[in-house]
Short mmCIF file of all heavy atoms in Angstrom, two decimals:
data_model
loop_
_atom_site.label_atom_id
_atom_site.label_comp_id
_atom_site.label_asym_id
_atom_site.label_seq_id
_atom_site.Cartn_x
_atom_site.Cartn_y
_atom_site.Cartn_z
N MET A 7 155.98 -27.16 150.99
CA MET A 7 157.00 -26.39 150.63
C MET A 7 156.46 -25.35 149.65
O MET A 7 155.61 -25.56 148.81
CB MET A 7 158.06 -27.26 149.83
CG MET A 7 159.43 -26.71 150.00
SD MET A 7 160.64 -27.85 149.15
CE MET A 7 161.22 -28.85 150.56
N ALA A 8 156.96 -24.14 149.77
CA ALA A 8 156.49 -23.01 148.96
C ALA A 8 157.08 -22.98 147.58
O ALA A 8 158.06 -23.49 147.31
CB ALA A 8 156.84 -21.57 149.67
N ILE A 9 156.20 -22.55 146.73
CA ILE A 9 156.60 -22.57 145.27
C ILE A 9 157.35 -21.38 144.98
O ILE A 9 157.00 -20.16 145.45
CB ILE A 9 155.31 -22.57 144.35
CG1 ILE A 9 154.64 -23.97 144.49
CG2 ILE A 9 155.66 -22.31 142.87
CD1 ILE A 9 155.51 -25.12 144.02
N GLN A 10 158.46 -21.40 144.31
CA GLN A 10 159.35 -20.27 143.86
C GLN A 10 159.33 -20.17 142.38
O GLN A 10 158.86 -21.03 141.68
CB GLN A 10 160.70 -20.51 144.50
CG GLN A 10 160.78 -20.61 145.96
CD GLN A 10 160.27 -19.34 146.72
OE1 GLN A 10 160.62 -18.25 146.35
NE2 GLN A 10 159.35 -19.53 147.73
N TYR A 11 159.88 -19.03 142.01
CA TYR A 11 159.95 -18.71 140.52
C TYR A 11 161.30 -18.37 140.04
O TYR A 11 162.05 -17.71 140.55
CB TYR A 11 158.97 -17.59 140.28
CG TYR A 11 157.53 -17.85 140.66
CD1 TYR A 11 157.17 -17.50 142.01
CD2 TYR A 11 156.59 -18.43 139.88
CE1 TYR A 11 155.76 -17.87 142.34
CE2 TYR A 11 155.28 -18.83 140.27
CZ TYR A 11 155.00 -18.49 141.50
OH TYR A 11 153.73 -18.81 141.92
N LEU A 12 161.65 -19.08 138.92
CA LEU A 12 162.93 -18.95 138.22
C LEU A 12 162.82 -18.53 136.73
O LEU A 12 161.97 -19.14 136.08
CB LEU A 12 163.66 -20.22 138.42
CG LEU A 12 165.04 -20.27 137.74
CD1 LEU A 12 166.04 -19.32 138.35
CD2 LEU A 12 165.62 -21.73 137.82
N LEU A 13 163.55 -17.55 136.33
CA LEU A 13 163.58 -17.30 134.96
C LEU A 13 165.04 -17.44 134.50
O LEU A 13 165.95 -16.67 135.01
CB LEU A 13 163.17 -15.87 134.72
CG LEU A 13 163.15 -15.16 133.31
CD1 LEU A 13 162.28 -16.09 132.31
CD2 LEU A 13 162.58 -13.86 133.27
N VAL A 14 165.19 -18.27 133.37
CA VAL A 14 166.57 -18.51 132.91
C VAL A 14 166.59 -17.94 131.52
O VAL A 14 165.86 -18.28 130.65
CB VAL A 14 166.79 -20.03 132.87
CG1 VAL A 14 168.30 -20.28 132.30
CG2 VAL A 14 166.71 -20.72 134.28
N ILE A 15 167.47 -16.92 131.43
CA ILE A 15 167.58 -16.19 130.18
C ILE A 15 168.73 -16.83 129.29
O ILE A 15 169.88 -16.99 129.74
CB ILE A 15 167.96 -14.76 130.49
CG1 ILE A 15 166.87 -14.06 131.31
CG2 ILE A 15 168.05 -13.91 129.11
CD1 ILE A 15 165.43 -14.00 130.75
N PHE A 16 168.56 -16.98 128.05
CA PHE A 16 169.44 -17.49 126.98
C PHE A 16 168.95 -17.12 125.59
O PHE A 16 167.66 -17.04 125.47
CB PHE A 16 169.71 -18.99 127.12
CG PHE A 16 170.88 -19.55 126.27
CD1 PHE A 16 172.05 -19.28 126.59
CD2 PHE A 16 170.59 -20.32 125.16
CE1 PHE A 16 173.18 -19.72 125.91
CE2 PHE A 16 171.64 -20.76 124.37
CZ PHE A 16 172.87 -20.52 124.72
N PRO A 17 169.76 -16.65 124.62
CA PRO A 17 169.24 -16.18 123.35
C PRO A 17 168.43 -17.14 122.60
O PRO A 17 167.65 -16.68 121.71
CB PRO A 17 170.53 -15.89 122.66
CG PRO A 17 171.63 -15.73 123.72
CD PRO A 17 171.28 -16.67 124.74
N GLU A 18 168.47 -18.43 122.81
CA GLU A 18 167.61 -19.34 122.10
C GLU A 18 166.86 -20.31 123.15
O GLU A 18 167.22 -20.30 124.32
CB GLU A 18 168.36 -20.14 121.15
CG GLU A 18 169.47 -20.96 121.79
CD GLU A 18 170.50 -21.64 120.77
OE1 GLU A 18 170.86 -21.03 119.82
OE2 GLU A 18 170.61 -22.93 120.91
N GLN A 19 165.92 -21.00 122.64
CA GLN A 19 165.13 -21.88 123.51
C GLN A 19 166.04 -23.15 123.83
O GLN A 19 166.46 -23.85 122.91
CB GLN A 19 163.79 -22.20 123.01
CG GLN A 19 162.94 -23.08 123.97
CD GLN A 19 161.60 -23.32 123.43
OE1 GLN A 19 160.97 -22.37 122.83
NE2 GLN A 19 161.04 -24.40 123.72
N ARG A 20 166.13 -23.40 125.09
CA ARG A 20 166.85 -24.64 125.59
C ARG A 20 166.16 -25.30 126.72
O ARG A 20 165.45 -24.59 127.43
CB ARG A 20 168.37 -24.29 126.06
CG ARG A 20 169.28 -23.77 124.91
CD ARG A 20 169.92 -25.07 124.28
NE ARG A 20 170.89 -24.53 123.30
CZ ARG A 20 172.19 -24.52 123.55
NH1 ARG A 20 172.71 -24.95 124.72
NH2 ARG A 20 173.10 -24.18 122.62
N ALA A 21 166.27 -26.48 126.89
CA ALA A 21 165.75 -27.08 128.07
C ALA A 21 166.51 -26.63 129.25
O ALA A 21 167.72 -26.39 129.25
CB ALA A 21 165.96 -28.62 127.94
N VAL A 22 165.75 -26.34 130.33
CA VAL A 22 166.36 -25.94 131.62
C VAL A 22 166.53 -27.17 132.56
O VAL A 22 165.37 -27.89 132.79
CB VAL A 22 165.67 -24.81 132.37
CG1 VAL A 22 166.23 -24.65 133.70
CG2 VAL A 22 165.75 -23.66 131.46
N LEU A 23 167.56 -27.50 133.19
CA LEU A 23 167.56 -28.68 134.00
C LEU A 23 167.94 -28.26 135.40
O LEU A 23 168.89 -27.34 135.66
CB LEU A 23 168.70 -29.65 133.65
CG LEU A 23 168.44 -30.35 132.14
CD1 LEU A 23 168.88 -29.52 131.07
CD2 LEU A 23 168.88 -31.82 132.30
N ALA A 24 167.21 -28.71 136.36
CA ALA A 24 167.62 -28.40 137.85
C ALA A 24 167.96 -29.77 138.46
O ALA A 24 167.23 -30.69 138.51
CB ALA A 24 166.25 -27.82 138.46
N ASP A 25 169.16 -29.66 139.02
CA ASP A 25 169.72 -31.02 139.42
C ASP A 25 169.53 -32.16 138.50
O ASP A 25 169.15 -33.28 138.94
CB ASP A 25 169.06 -31.36 140.80
CG ASP A 25 169.38 -30.29 141.87
OD1 ASP A 25 170.39 -29.56 141.73
OD2 ASP A 25 168.64 -30.16 142.74
N GLU A 26 169.81 -31.84 137.24
CA GLU A 26 169.79 -32.81 136.03
C GLU A 26 168.41 -33.36 135.71
O GLU A 26 168.37 -34.21 134.94
CB GLU A 26 170.72 -33.97 136.37
CG GLU A 26 172.26 -33.53 136.51
CD GLU A 26 173.21 -34.77 136.77
OE1 GLU A 26 172.73 -35.89 136.71
OE2 GLU A 26 174.41 -34.37 137.10
N GLU A 27 167.44 -32.63 136.16
CA GLU A 27 165.96 -33.01 135.79
C GLU A 27 165.41 -31.92 135.09
O GLU A 27 165.55 -30.81 135.55
CB GLU A 27 165.21 -33.37 137.00
CG GLU A 27 165.62 -34.61 137.70
CD GLU A 27 164.63 -35.06 138.77
OE1 GLU A 27 163.41 -34.76 138.66
OE2 GLU A 27 164.96 -35.71 139.67
N SER A 28 164.80 -32.12 133.94
CA SER A 28 164.14 -31.14 133.06
C SER A 28 163.00 -30.53 133.83
O SER A 28 162.11 -31.13 134.38
CB SER A 28 163.77 -31.77 131.81
OG SER A 28 163.08 -30.73 131.04
N VAL A 29 163.03 -29.21 133.84
CA VAL A 29 161.98 -28.41 134.55
C VAL A 29 161.18 -27.38 133.78
O VAL A 29 160.34 -26.81 134.16
CB VAL A 29 162.46 -27.73 135.81
CG1 VAL A 29 162.91 -28.78 136.87
CG2 VAL A 29 163.64 -26.85 135.53
N GLY A 30 161.68 -27.29 132.43
CA GLY A 30 161.09 -26.35 131.42
C GLY A 30 162.03 -25.76 130.46
O GLY A 30 163.02 -26.47 130.12
N PHE A 31 161.82 -24.67 129.98
CA PHE A 31 162.64 -24.07 128.93
C PHE A 31 163.01 -22.65 129.26
O PHE A 31 162.37 -22.10 130.01
CB PHE A 31 161.80 -24.05 127.54
CG PHE A 31 161.42 -25.48 127.17
CD1 PHE A 31 160.31 -26.10 127.45
CD2 PHE A 31 162.40 -26.17 126.35
CE1 PHE A 31 160.02 -27.37 126.99
CE2 PHE A 31 162.16 -27.33 125.93
CZ PHE A 31 161.07 -28.08 126.33
N THR A 32 164.17 -22.21 128.62
CA THR A 32 164.64 -20.85 128.86
C THR A 32 163.73 -19.81 128.43
O THR A 32 162.68 -20.07 127.61
CB THR A 32 166.01 -20.65 127.99
OG1 THR A 32 165.72 -21.04 126.69
CG2 THR A 32 167.09 -21.54 128.61
N ASN A 33 163.74 -18.64 128.93
CA ASN A 33 162.88 -17.44 128.64
C ASN A 33 161.46 -17.60 129.05
O ASN A 33 160.64 -16.89 128.52
CB ASN A 33 163.10 -17.07 127.15
CG ASN A 33 164.62 -17.05 126.79
OD1 ASN A 33 165.36 -16.39 127.47
ND2 ASN A 33 165.09 -17.69 125.73
N HIS A 34 161.14 -18.64 129.89
CA HIS A 34 159.87 -18.85 130.40
C HIS A 34 160.00 -18.91 132.08
O HIS A 34 160.86 -19.44 132.46
CB HIS A 34 159.21 -20.10 129.96
CG HIS A 34 158.90 -20.06 128.44
ND1 HIS A 34 157.75 -19.55 127.92
CD2 HIS A 34 159.66 -20.64 127.52
CE1 HIS A 34 157.87 -19.76 126.62
NE2 HIS A 34 158.95 -20.35 126.33
N THR A 35 159.04 -18.33 132.73
CA THR A 35 159.09 -18.34 134.15
C THR A 35 158.70 -19.75 134.64
O THR A 35 157.71 -20.32 134.28
CB THR A 35 158.11 -17.31 134.80
OG1 THR A 35 158.52 -16.06 134.45
CG2 THR A 35 158.21 -17.37 136.41
N LEU A 36 159.65 -20.37 135.39
CA LEU A 36 159.45 -21.69 135.97
C LEU A 36 159.03 -21.70 137.39
O LEU A 36 159.47 -20.95 138.13
CB LEU A 36 160.79 -22.41 135.70
CG LEU A 36 161.38 -22.45 134.26
CD1 LEU A 36 162.73 -23.06 134.29
CD2 LEU A 36 160.50 -23.08 133.31
N MET A 37 158.27 -22.75 137.72
CA MET A 37 157.78 -22.96 139.14
C MET A 37 158.52 -24.12 139.67
O MET A 37 158.34 -25.25 139.12
CB MET A 37 156.36 -23.02 139.23
CG MET A 37 155.61 -21.84 138.75
SD MET A 37 153.80 -21.90 139.05
CE MET A 37 153.37 -23.34 138.12
N LEU A 38 159.20 -23.92 140.89
CA LEU A 38 159.92 -24.97 141.53
C LEU A 38 159.71 -24.81 143.08
O LEU A 38 159.47 -23.67 143.54
CB LEU A 38 161.43 -24.93 141.16
CG LEU A 38 161.87 -25.04 139.85
CD1 LEU A 38 163.33 -24.69 139.57
CD2 LEU A 38 161.77 -26.47 139.46
N PRO A 39 159.77 -25.93 143.76
CA PRO A 39 159.80 -25.83 145.23
C PRO A 39 160.88 -25.03 145.73
O PRO A 39 162.00 -25.02 145.15
CB PRO A 39 159.83 -27.26 145.78
CG PRO A 39 159.35 -28.09 144.45
CD PRO A 39 159.94 -27.29 143.31
N ALA A 40 160.86 -24.29 146.92
CA ALA A 40 161.97 -23.63 147.42
C ALA A 40 162.99 -24.61 147.82
O ALA A 40 162.77 -25.60 148.43
CB ALA A 40 161.49 -22.86 148.71
N ASP A 41 164.26 -24.44 147.37
CA ASP A 41 165.33 -25.22 147.63
C ASP A 41 166.59 -24.68 147.02
O ASP A 41 166.57 -23.61 146.30
CB ASP A 41 165.03 -26.73 147.06
CG ASP A 41 165.72 -27.80 147.71
OD1 ASP A 41 166.73 -27.43 148.46
OD2 ASP A 41 165.35 -28.95 147.55
N GLU A 42 167.64 -25.39 146.99
CA GLU A 42 168.91 -25.13 146.26
C GLU A 42 169.01 -26.10 145.11
O GLU A 42 168.63 -27.17 145.20
CB GLU A 42 170.15 -25.32 147.15
CG GLU A 42 170.18 -24.34 148.30
CD GLU A 42 171.59 -24.52 149.05
OE1 GLU A 42 172.64 -25.01 148.45
OE2 GLU A 42 171.59 -24.38 150.25
N TYR A 43 169.43 -25.45 144.00
CA TYR A 43 169.45 -26.23 142.79
C TYR A 43 170.84 -25.96 141.99
O TYR A 43 171.25 -24.81 142.11
CB TYR A 43 168.30 -25.85 141.74
CG TYR A 43 167.00 -26.29 142.34
CD1 TYR A 43 166.29 -25.22 143.03
CD2 TYR A 43 166.44 -27.48 142.24
CE1 TYR A 43 165.06 -25.56 143.55
CE2 TYR A 43 165.18 -27.72 142.77
CZ TYR A 43 164.51 -26.80 143.43
OH TYR A 43 163.24 -27.11 143.86
N VAL A 44 171.21 -26.88 141.19
CA VAL A 44 172.25 -26.65 140.17
C VAL A 44 171.58 -26.58 138.85
O VAL A 44 170.95 -27.58 138.48
CB VAL A 44 173.35 -27.75 140.20
CG1 VAL A 44 174.38 -27.53 139.07
CG2 VAL A 44 174.07 -27.84 141.58
N ILE A 45 171.70 -25.45 138.33
CA ILE A 45 170.86 -25.07 137.02
C ILE A 45 172.02 -25.42 135.79
O ILE A 45 173.00 -24.75 135.86
CB ILE A 45 170.33 -23.79 137.02
CG1 ILE A 45 169.41 -23.51 138.23
CG2 ILE A 45 169.59 -23.43 135.71
CD1 ILE A 45 168.16 -24.58 138.20
N THR A 46 171.54 -26.15 134.89
CA THR A 46 172.24 -26.22 133.66
C THR A 46 171.24 -26.16 132.38
O THR A 46 170.04 -26.16 132.67
CB THR A 46 173.01 -27.60 133.45
OG1 THR A 46 171.98 -28.71 133.66
CG2 THR A 46 173.97 -27.64 134.52
N LEU A 47 171.76 -26.12 131.16
CA LEU A 47 170.85 -26.12 129.98
C LEU A 47 171.14 -27.38 129.29
O LEU A 47 172.11 -28.04 129.36
CB LEU A 47 171.25 -24.85 129.25
CG LEU A 47 171.13 -23.59 129.85
CD1 LEU A 47 171.40 -22.48 128.73
CD2 LEU A 47 169.72 -23.26 130.37
N GLY A 48 170.24 -27.70 128.39
CA GLY A 48 170.23 -28.88 127.48
C GLY A 48 171.21 -28.52 126.43
O GLY A 48 171.35 -27.33 126.00
N GLY A 49 171.99 -29.49 125.89
CA GLY A 49 172.95 -29.18 124.81
C GLY A 49 174.15 -28.60 125.34
O GLY A 49 174.51 -28.56 126.45
N GLU A 50 175.03 -28.11 124.26
CA GLU A 50 176.31 -27.59 124.67
C GLU A 50 176.42 -26.11 124.13
O GLU A 50 175.43 -25.53 123.61
CB GLU A 50 177.39 -28.41 123.95
CG GLU A 50 177.43 -29.92 124.39
CD GLU A 50 178.47 -30.64 123.69
OE1 GLU A 50 178.86 -30.25 122.68
OE2 GLU A 50 178.78 -31.71 124.18
N GLY A 51 177.56 -25.46 124.28
CA GLY A 51 177.80 -24.18 123.80
C GLY A 51 177.18 -22.93 124.60
O GLY A 51 176.83 -21.94 123.99
N TYR A 52 177.31 -23.04 125.83
CA TYR A 52 176.94 -21.96 126.74
C TYR A 52 177.78 -21.79 127.88
O TYR A 52 178.51 -22.76 128.15
CB TYR A 52 175.41 -22.23 127.16
CG TYR A 52 175.20 -23.42 128.01
CD1 TYR A 52 175.35 -23.39 129.44
CD2 TYR A 52 174.79 -24.59 127.44
CE1 TYR A 52 175.17 -24.57 130.17
CE2 TYR A 52 174.64 -25.73 128.19
CZ TYR A 52 174.85 -25.77 129.56
OH TYR A 52 174.57 -26.79 130.28
N GLN A 53 177.72 -20.66 128.49
CA GLN A 53 178.66 -20.43 129.71
C GLN A 53 177.76 -19.59 130.64
O GLN A 53 176.95 -18.83 130.14
CB GLN A 53 179.89 -19.76 129.31
CG GLN A 53 179.84 -18.50 128.59
CD GLN A 53 181.10 -17.97 128.27
OE1 GLN A 53 182.13 -18.76 128.12
NE2 GLN A 53 181.20 -16.74 127.83
N PRO A 54 178.04 -19.72 131.93
CA PRO A 54 178.78 -20.79 132.59
C PRO A 54 178.25 -22.07 132.40
O PRO A 54 177.07 -22.32 131.89
CB PRO A 54 178.85 -20.36 134.04
CG PRO A 54 177.50 -19.63 134.32
CD PRO A 54 177.24 -18.85 132.94
N THR A 55 178.96 -23.21 132.59
CA THR A 55 178.34 -24.57 132.42
C THR A 55 177.32 -24.87 133.44
O THR A 55 176.54 -25.85 133.18
CB THR A 55 179.64 -25.55 132.50
OG1 THR A 55 180.27 -25.58 133.81
CG2 THR A 55 180.62 -25.36 131.31
N LYS A 56 177.32 -24.25 134.58
CA LYS A 56 176.28 -24.52 135.59
C LYS A 56 176.17 -23.27 136.53
O LYS A 56 177.11 -22.53 136.60
CB LYS A 56 176.50 -25.75 136.35
CG LYS A 56 177.73 -25.63 137.29
CD LYS A 56 177.99 -27.02 138.03
CE LYS A 56 179.28 -26.86 138.78
NZ LYS A 56 179.57 -28.15 139.46
N GLN A 57 175.04 -23.13 137.12
CA GLN A 57 174.86 -22.16 138.15
C GLN A 57 174.11 -22.66 139.34
O GLN A 57 173.12 -23.38 139.27
CB GLN A 57 174.02 -20.86 137.64
CG GLN A 57 174.76 -20.19 136.48
CD GLN A 57 174.11 -18.84 136.22
OE1 GLN A 57 173.88 -18.07 137.10
NE2 GLN A 57 173.98 -18.55 134.91
N ASN A 58 174.72 -22.37 140.57
CA ASN A 58 174.12 -22.79 141.71
C ASN A 58 173.08 -21.72 142.24
O ASN A 58 173.57 -20.52 142.20
CB ASN A 58 175.07 -22.99 142.89
CG ASN A 58 176.08 -24.06 142.57
OD1 ASN A 58 175.65 -25.07 142.16
ND2 ASN A 58 177.36 -23.86 142.81
N VAL A 59 171.88 -22.15 142.42
CA VAL A 59 170.83 -21.15 142.82
C VAL A 59 170.05 -21.54 144.03
O VAL A 59 169.73 -22.70 144.25
CB VAL A 59 169.87 -21.19 141.55
CG1 VAL A 59 168.60 -20.28 141.94
CG2 VAL A 59 170.52 -20.64 140.37
N VAL A 60 169.82 -20.52 144.89
CA VAL A 60 168.86 -20.77 146.05
C VAL A 60 167.56 -20.10 145.77
O VAL A 60 167.57 -18.82 145.58
CB VAL A 60 169.55 -20.21 147.35
CG1 VAL A 60 168.58 -20.38 148.53
CG2 VAL A 60 170.91 -20.92 147.68
N LEU A 61 166.51 -20.84 145.71
CA LEU A 61 165.22 -20.27 145.37
C LEU A 61 164.46 -19.97 146.62
O LEU A 61 164.13 -20.91 147.37
CB LEU A 61 164.46 -21.09 144.49
CG LEU A 61 164.89 -21.18 143.10
CD1 LEU A 61 163.94 -22.11 142.24
CD2 LEU A 61 164.90 -19.81 142.43
N SER A 62 164.29 -18.80 147.06
CA SER A 62 163.43 -18.33 148.21
C SER A 62 163.13 -16.89 148.01
O SER A 62 163.83 -16.16 147.40
CB SER A 62 164.07 -18.58 149.54
OG SER A 62 165.18 -17.69 149.66
N GLY A 63 161.87 -16.56 148.53
CA GLY A 63 161.51 -15.09 148.45
C GLY A 63 161.16 -14.59 147.11
O GLY A 63 161.29 -13.33 146.97
N THR A 64 160.84 -15.48 146.10
CA THR A 64 160.44 -14.91 144.68
C THR A 64 158.99 -14.88 144.72
O THR A 64 158.33 -15.28 145.50
CB THR A 64 161.01 -15.91 143.74
OG1 THR A 64 160.27 -17.13 143.86
CG2 THR A 64 162.44 -16.11 143.84
N SER A 65 158.45 -14.15 143.56
CA SER A 65 157.06 -14.22 143.29
C SER A 65 156.92 -14.20 141.66
O SER A 65 157.98 -14.12 140.97
CB SER A 65 156.45 -12.95 143.81
OG SER A 65 156.91 -11.84 143.11
N ILE A 66 155.73 -14.47 141.34
CA ILE A 66 155.50 -14.51 139.96
C ILE A 66 156.02 -13.25 139.17
O ILE A 66 156.49 -13.27 138.00
CB ILE A 66 154.15 -14.82 139.53
CG1 ILE A 66 153.90 -15.24 138.12
CG2 ILE A 66 153.12 -13.80 139.96
CD1 ILE A 66 154.52 -16.45 137.64
N VAL A 67 155.79 -12.12 139.80
CA VAL A 67 156.29 -10.76 139.19
C VAL A 67 157.76 -10.45 139.53
O VAL A 67 158.30 -9.54 138.92
CB VAL A 67 155.34 -9.70 139.64
CG1 VAL A 67 153.96 -9.84 139.02
CG2 VAL A 67 155.37 -9.52 141.19
N LYS A 68 158.42 -11.20 140.35
CA LYS A 68 159.74 -10.95 140.70
C LYS A 68 160.53 -12.29 140.94
O LYS A 68 160.88 -12.72 142.02
CB LYS A 68 159.97 -10.15 142.05
CG LYS A 68 159.60 -8.73 141.84
CD LYS A 68 160.13 -7.98 142.99
CE LYS A 68 160.85 -6.76 142.38
NZ LYS A 68 161.68 -5.93 143.35
N PRO A 69 160.67 -13.06 139.78
CA PRO A 69 161.32 -14.37 139.79
C PRO A 69 162.80 -14.13 140.03
O PRO A 69 163.30 -13.00 139.80
CB PRO A 69 161.04 -14.91 138.47
CG PRO A 69 160.92 -13.71 137.46
CD PRO A 69 160.28 -12.69 138.38
N LYS A 70 163.53 -15.15 140.51
CA LYS A 70 164.93 -15.26 140.44
C LYS A 70 165.48 -15.32 138.98
O LYS A 70 164.91 -16.14 138.26
CB LYS A 70 165.41 -16.34 141.21
CG LYS A 70 166.93 -16.59 141.16
CD LYS A 70 167.71 -15.70 142.05
CE LYS A 70 169.10 -16.11 142.03
NZ LYS A 70 169.90 -15.16 142.82
N VAL A 71 166.23 -14.32 138.56
CA VAL A 71 166.62 -14.40 137.11
C VAL A 71 168.12 -14.73 136.98
O VAL A 71 168.95 -14.08 137.73
CB VAL A 71 166.41 -12.95 136.50
CG1 VAL A 71 166.86 -12.98 135.12
CG2 VAL A 71 164.90 -12.58 136.65
N ILE A 72 168.39 -15.66 136.21
CA ILE A 72 169.80 -16.00 135.91
C ILE A 72 170.01 -15.99 134.43
O ILE A 72 169.10 -16.23 133.63
CB ILE A 72 170.24 -17.34 136.54
CG1 ILE A 72 169.42 -18.58 136.05
CG2 ILE A 72 170.16 -17.31 138.04
CD1 ILE A 72 169.94 -19.85 136.44
N PHE A 73 171.32 -15.72 134.07
CA PHE A 73 171.75 -15.63 132.64
C PHE A 73 172.76 -16.66 132.26
O PHE A 73 173.70 -16.91 132.97
CB PHE A 73 172.29 -14.27 132.40
CG PHE A 73 171.22 -13.13 132.54
CD1 PHE A 73 171.04 -12.56 133.86
CD2 PHE A 73 170.54 -12.65 131.51
CE1 PHE A 73 170.21 -11.63 134.07
CE2 PHE A 73 169.64 -11.55 131.69
CZ PHE A 73 169.42 -11.00 132.97
N PHE A 74 172.55 -17.27 131.05
CA PHE A 74 173.53 -18.05 130.40
C PHE A 74 173.85 -17.31 129.14
O PHE A 74 172.98 -16.69 128.46
CB PHE A 74 173.11 -19.50 130.04
CG PHE A 74 173.01 -20.35 131.33
CD1 PHE A 74 171.91 -20.41 132.01
CD2 PHE A 74 174.19 -21.07 131.83
CE1 PHE A 74 171.82 -21.22 133.26
CE2 PHE A 74 174.09 -21.94 132.93
CZ PHE A 74 172.92 -21.96 133.60
N THR A 75 175.10 -17.38 128.62
CA THR A 75 175.40 -16.76 127.34
C THR A 75 176.09 -17.84 126.45
O THR A 75 176.61 -18.79 126.90
CB THR A 75 176.51 -15.49 127.51
OG1 THR A 75 177.63 -16.10 128.20
CG2 THR A 75 175.70 -14.43 128.29
N PRO A 76 176.03 -17.56 125.05
CA PRO A 76 176.62 -18.52 124.14
C PRO A 76 178.08 -18.50 124.39
O PRO A 76 178.73 -17.55 124.75
CB PRO A 76 176.37 -17.94 122.77
CG PRO A 76 175.11 -17.05 123.00
CD PRO A 76 175.32 -16.56 124.37
N ALA A 77 178.63 -19.70 124.38
CA ALA A 77 180.12 -19.81 124.64
C ALA A 77 180.85 -19.35 123.25
O ALA A 77 180.30 -19.56 122.12
CB ALA A 77 180.50 -21.23 124.87
N PRO A 78 182.02 -18.77 123.42
CA PRO A 78 182.66 -18.26 122.21
C PRO A 78 183.03 -19.52 121.39
O PRO A 78 183.33 -20.48 121.90
CB PRO A 78 183.99 -17.54 122.72
CG PRO A 78 184.12 -17.93 124.26
CD PRO A 78 182.71 -18.42 124.62
N PRO A 79 183.21 -19.30 120.05
CA PRO A 79 183.46 -20.53 119.26
C PRO A 79 185.08 -20.92 119.49
O PRO A 79 185.81 -20.15 119.95
CB PRO A 79 183.53 -19.94 117.76
CG PRO A 79 183.19 -18.57 117.86
CD PRO A 79 182.96 -18.10 119.35
N VAL A 80 185.33 -22.23 119.44
CA VAL A 80 186.61 -22.78 119.67
C VAL A 80 187.45 -22.60 118.46
O VAL A 80 187.04 -22.97 117.35
CB VAL A 80 186.52 -24.35 120.01
CG1 VAL A 80 187.84 -24.90 120.22
CG2 VAL A 80 185.58 -24.55 121.20
N ALA A 81 188.61 -22.06 118.65
CA ALA A 81 189.51 -21.78 117.53
C ALA A 81 189.99 -23.07 116.97
O ALA A 81 190.30 -23.98 117.75
CB ALA A 81 190.68 -20.94 117.99
N ALA A 82 190.10 -23.25 115.61
CA ALA A 82 190.54 -24.48 115.08
C ALA A 82 192.10 -24.57 115.06
O ALA A 82 192.82 -23.61 115.19
CB ALA A 82 190.13 -24.47 113.54
#
């Protein structure tokens, strides 16, 4: 299976999970086999809560890039 590249952007370092398995950290290019994945982050306080990603046709210089943002604070 071909290796693909994924870059998950978030303002702070968090664990990146692909199908609930840790594969690395945000803001670093990750190497994964070509496949479909459900990407989430470790911890709470981000949105969206998950992203479905199909990894194919990437390269080290053109990884698949996805973004997570901090969730807005919950009003008391």
Side-chain angles (χ1 to χ4, degrees):
M7 212 179 260
I9 293 296
Q10 300 298 313
Y11 301 90
L12 174 67
L13 178 58
V14 180
I15 304 295
F16 190 68
E18 60 188 49
Q19 185 169 325
R20 293 274 184 102
V22 174
L23 294 91
D25 297 337
E26 300 183 5
E27 292 190 29
S28 181
V29 294
F31 294 95
T32 54
N33 309 310
H34 296 276
T35 302
L36 310 174
M37 296 187 303
L38 296 166
D41 205 347
E42 291 185 35
Y43 297 95
V44 176
I45 304 297
T46 57
L47 301 182
E50 298 177 346
Y52 61 89
Q53 59 186 15
T55 56
K56 65 181 177 181
Q57 293 194 47
N58 297 315
V59 173
V60 177
L61 286 181
S62 67
T64 66
S65 70
I66 190 69
V67 294
K68 285 196 131 188
K70 172 79 173 176
V71 180
I72 63 172
F73 296 85
F74 286 90
T75 57
V80 177

